[in-house]
Amino acid sequence: MAEAVIELVRRLSSPPPGAEEPTGLQLPLTAEQRTVLRGRRRTLCGRDVLLQLPRDGALQPGDRLTDGGGGVQVAVVAAVEPLLRVQGTSALELLQAAYHLGNRHVALELHERELLLLDDSVLQQMLESRGLMVSHCERPFLPEGGAYGGGHTHNHTHSHAPS
């Protein structure tokens, strides 16, 4: 007999600093999936869940979700995604690349010496034509939230990049 779908309806408040994280289910989501708060998903161990969350901003890795009774806890984790790693010979080259990608509303994860974006052959060609070094990698994608933070809604990905 199949297990019932778990309906996740709210976020739990963050635990106090130093508190142990409860063990439970993990829900791997791509950057884009973390912006969609409704719909069917699957946990790391294969359990089906149904997101029915209030529309109050994108999910972040580490967010904890629960069912109506609070008996089930599910932790959001950033799923591994195919990315492009962009590197230049100067900070100005990366700044110019970020400008051109931002002009195209491309979600970017910004770092001091590299930019990360979802794998896209057209963007890869554009970046390489500008003399940038572009390589492929697979890792969790944590794009910058943008000028409007997580509460602004477009069809763009919004979340926070690591410091």
Side-chain angles (χ1 to χ4, degrees), residues 5-6 8 27-30 32-43 46-51 59:
V5 174
I6 301 167
L8 300 172
L27 183 60
L29 298 174
T30 65
E32 180 64 30
Q33 289 172 332
R34 292 192 303 270
T35 68
V36 180
L37 304 177
R38 303 283 168 135
R40 200 176 191 108
R41 305 282 184 270
R42 186 163 291 199
T43 66
R47 290 286 309 267
D48 286 328
V49 297
L50 179 63
L51 297 183
L59 294 169

Side-chain angles (χ1 to χ4, degrees), residues 86-107:
V86 181
Q87 297 171 308
T89 57
S90 71
L92 180 58
E93 278 187 336
L94 283 181
L95 185 60
Q96 289 169 331
Y99 172 82
H100 290 290
L101 292 165
N103 237 6
R104 291 167 176 79
H105 300 278
V106 173

Side-chain angles (χ1 to χ4, degrees), residues 28-135:
L29 298 174
T30 65
E32 180 64 30
Q33 289 172 332
R34 292 192 303 270
T35 68
V36 180
L37 304 177
R38 303 283 168 135
R40 200 176 191 108
R41 305 282 184 270
R42 186 163 291 199
T43 66
L44 207 54
C45 66
R47 290 286 309 267
D48 286 328
V49 297
L50 179 63
L51 297 183
Q52 293 292 322
L53 299 166
R55 289 177 164 87
D56 59 357
L59 294 169
Q60 302 299 322
D63 282 353
R64 295 176 304 136
L65 311 175
T66 189
D67 61 354
V72 175
Q73 288 190 27
V74 177
V76 174
V77 295
V80 171
E81 302 187 60
L83 303 175
L84 295 177
R85 176 185 290 120
V86 181
Q87 297 171 308
T89 57
S90 71
L92 180 58
E93 278 187 336
L94 283 181
L95 185 60
Q96 289 169 331
Y99 172 82
H100 290 290
L101 292 165
N103 237 6
R104 291 167 176 79
H105 300 278
V106 173
L108 286 176
E109 183 175 331
L110 306 172
H111 296 278
E112 192 172 330
R113 299 192 195 302
E114 66 184 12
L115 306 174
L116 297 170
L117 62 142
L118 292 172
D119 192 350
D120 180 296
S121 60
V122 172
L123 294 175
Q124 180 178 352
Q125 285 180 332
M126 183 269 294
L127 293 162
E128 288 173 341
S129 75
R130 297 187 58 81
L132 294 152
M133 295 167 282
V134 181
S135 59

